[in-house]
Structures are given as C-alpha cells and as structure tokens.
Amino acid sequence: QVQLVESGGGLVQAGGSLRLSCAYSGEIFSVYGMGWVRQPPGKEREFVAHISRTGGVTLYADSVKGRFTISRDNAKNTMYLQMNSLKPEDTAVYYCAADTVPRSGSYYVDRVYDYGYWGQGTQVTVSS
C-alpha cells in the first residue's frame, strides 16, 4: 500500500502562485510514475502533469504547459507542483496520484483513473 497526502492549496488571485506538495509513504519502493490530476467544479478529473520515477521525464497538459512545474524529491518522499500565473480556470480540487505499474506519462493523459493510488485532494481557488 502507498499513502499520499497533499498540502498547499488555498485561495489566490489571478496571476499569483501556489506550490502544492504530496508526501508519500508506505511501500514507496514499488512506486513508479506519479502525477497531479485536478477536478474542476462539476467536471471529471483531468490530467495535469506526470513525472517519472527518477524525475528525469515530465509531461504536462497543454493548458498548464509553461506555467506549472512538477518535481519530486525521492530523498524526502515528496512530490511538488509549482503553479505560476494562475488563472480562474485553474480552480479545482488537485489530487496527487501514483502508480506501481511502470507506464509512460502519456498513458495517463486519457486514463487518469488508472493511477493506482490517490491522495485526498486539496482545493485551489483562483479569483479573478
């Protein structure tokens, strides 16, 4: 089992920044790729970003490319999402996700629900 706990959400004005953190624990030796997925109000969950096991490969949704940066520190068992130039349409519950199956990030773009483990989510609200 793998446990994921997000933190860092909140309310921010458009153009502002937030950094989300995801602490992971449990059978972390079995974790491969990790990602951030968000669920806007009244919509399905959507892919935001993915990072490989070593952090060497990253993938972003077009809507956040150039504004968000995903990273992970395996020594601290923590993954991050730095969000800059935030827009009202970024408002959503942001989930940390992980998988114990070695898949490329592109796999999850249209299959976010295939991540095996999920955090509880953290709310990000961007005001205009």
Side-chain angles (χ1 to χ4, degrees):
Q1 294 294 314
V2 177
Q3 292 79 45
L4 306 172
V5 179
E6 304 97 335
S7 61
L11 173 65
V12 64
Q13 287 189 331
S17 298
L18 281 175
R19 188 175 82 155
L20 305 182
S21 298
C22 172
Y24 46 96
S25 61
E27 297 179 352
I28 57 176
F29 58 88
S30 65
V31 173
Y32 283 87
M34 297 185 69
W36 289 96
V37 176
R38 67 187 182 186
Q39 186 165 17
K43 297 183 179 180
E44 291 292 318
R45 294 187 186 185
E46 60 185 35
F47 175 85
V48 175
H50 180 91
I51 190 166
S52 64
R53 187 172 195 171
T54 62
V57 180
T58 57
L59 181 69
Y60 297 91
D62 288 343
S63 59
V64 307
K65 202 173 295 182
R67 300 187 297 121
F68 290 11
T69 301
I70 188 172
S71 61
R72 67 192 285 181
D73 185 339
N74 289 332
K76 296 182 178 180
N77 296 339
T78 305
M79 179 178 67
Y80 305 96
L81 185 68
Q82 177 67 43
M83 304 185 294
N84 298 328
S85 302
L86 282 161
K87 304 175 181 180
E89 50 264 43
D90 294 319
T91 294
V93 176
Y94 282 72
Y95 295 92
C96 167
D99 209 351
T100 55
V101 178
R103 298 184 176 120
S104 67
S106 58
Y107 175 90
Y108 299 100
V109 172
D110 296 317
R111 304 178 185 91
V112 292
Y113 292 99
D114 281 4
Y115 279 112
Y117 297 92
W118 295 83
Q120 81 287 355
T122 185
Q123 177 71 46
V124 172
T125 303
V126 184
S127 63
S128 57

